[in-house]
Amino acid sequence: VIGAQITLAPTIAPSPTSSVTLNSFPTKSGNPTLRPTTISSTPSMAPSILPSPTPSILPSKLTNLPSLTPTILPSPTPTILPSQIPTILSSRTPTILPSRTPAILPSHTPTILPSQTPTISPSKETSFSPSSEPSVSPPLPDMKNSLAQLTISKCGTTHEERRTAITATLETVSDPALLITQGTPQNTALEWIVELDTLCVCPDDDNLVQRYVLAVFYYSMGGGTWNQCNAPANFADTSSIADADASCFTIGNGLDMFQEETFNGNNAWLTPSDECYWGGLACLNATHRLDRIEFENDGLSGILPSELQSLTELRFLILEEGHIEGTIPTELGSLEKLHVLDLNFNRLIGTIPTEIYNINYLFELDLNDNFLSGTIATEIGKLRFLRFLQLDFNILSGTIPSEIGNMESLRIADFFSNGLVGDMPQSICDNRDWTGGHLRRLTADCDPGNILFVNCPVPQCCTACPNITIWT
């Protein structure tokens, strides 16, 4: 009735028509009121039976079912079931069950059970149970997919097309059978190049072969057990790379009589930096080609790979005081620009390859303290510019070739502690410094008290007859 006073309590049954003015208490009306109720600044004390179509400014204390739309701020108490859509800010208290969709930011407190899908960034605290899948960063959940995407953007090919093209190129460097045989240094290096190296070299990159050969060298020489400069445990993790770099102090900056301009570094091996910056290496500024490999007492072990022949600009191969075994690769003779070959204090066996004597500008041949056998070939006389020759402490036999007398640049020649016999050739004695030559040190097993000895009078020819010998 118009003008009648409105009751303060709701009726038992709803009115057939809506009232104009709102009741102070809700009714179980079948029809809505003409005007909506005034929105309260605070939530109701008890939850509604069904969720509101739009969120309240502040969350309800507790609901039986989650809201269809997230609240502006998270609830102080979790709902029984998780929301279909995450809140904008993370909850400080975890839900009983994890959300189906990850939150934009991780929770301050982990959920009791792990999420099925990882969050974009990892949580600061560990969950009670581990996640079914790792968070996106770090580490990367799928390096292969990441490299596949990088391959497309950088190389313009698919991952498989890149693998095929790289393999075809490297088959000209290594034995194709070794490339596909699991466990070989060649196959391990190929897989690292294609699947793990986040630098992601392309098939037509100039440094592909150089980077691959160095990876073969690393896996051939016991990489991972070196005293320093070992590859990181995780090739994609920045903290792992930083830790590996921090443990590398070797720098390839030895003497160079020609003073070529080079650059180097002390990064760990197989890191995503330019390989020229790996510890113990140096590259030429002009060509970006490898100029030097230099290690001393770093625990290198294994067999020298023939792939080193592909480092065509290499001038210094210095691998001292290690545990290198096997024979000296004959392929090293193709390194036409090599100046120094220093492999002393290792466990090398076999003969000295005659191919080494074809290196025209070899200035230093240092092979002492190994287990090299056989004779010294007469072809050694072709090393006209050799200045430093150390063959002591091996098990060489036969005589010292007179052709060494043709090596007029020779300053130091050590032959002692071997099984050499006969006379020291006069052509070598004629090169002694006191006769106008350059040879200032010449040693051999010239003590007649030895069962095997070289007839070399001191000081007329030899400078000393060291008493240390394995042939007594």
Side-chain angles (χ1 to χ4, degrees), residues 310-337:
S310 296
L311 303 175
T312 56
E313 300 288 322
L314 191 67
R315 294 188 303 143
F316 301 91
L317 181 57
I318 303 172
L319 307 173
E320 300 180 286
E321 300 183 42
H323 307 287
I324 302 174
E325 302 174 333
T327 60
I328 300 173
T330 59
E331 290 83 358
L332 295 185
S334 65
L335 296 174
E336 298 178 353
K337 297 185 178 181

Side-chain angles (χ1 to χ4, degrees), residues 437-450:
H438 298 290
L439 189 58
R440 65 175 182 266
R441 189 175 86 195
L442 175 62
T443 64
D445 295 318
C446 50
D447 186 344
N450 293 337

Side-chain angles (χ1 to χ4, degrees), residues 228-259:
Q228 55 177 294
C229 300
N230 291 295
N234 187 327
F235 295 110
D237 181 55
T238 54
S239 62
S240 181
I241 294 171
D243 290 342
D245 287 342
S247 300
C248 183
F249 307 99
T250 300
I251 300 178
N253 60 351
L255 294 176
D256 177 13
M257 61 184 296
F258 294 103
Q259 298 182 338

Side-chain angles (χ1 to χ4, degrees), residues 123-146:
S123 305
K124 294 182 174 59
E125 299 181 31
T126 56
S127 59
F128 296 103
S129 300
S131 302
S132 302
E133 299 180 31
S135 56
V136 175
S137 170
L140 294 175
D142 192 341
M143 182 181 289
K144 185 173 183 178
N145 288 339
S146 300

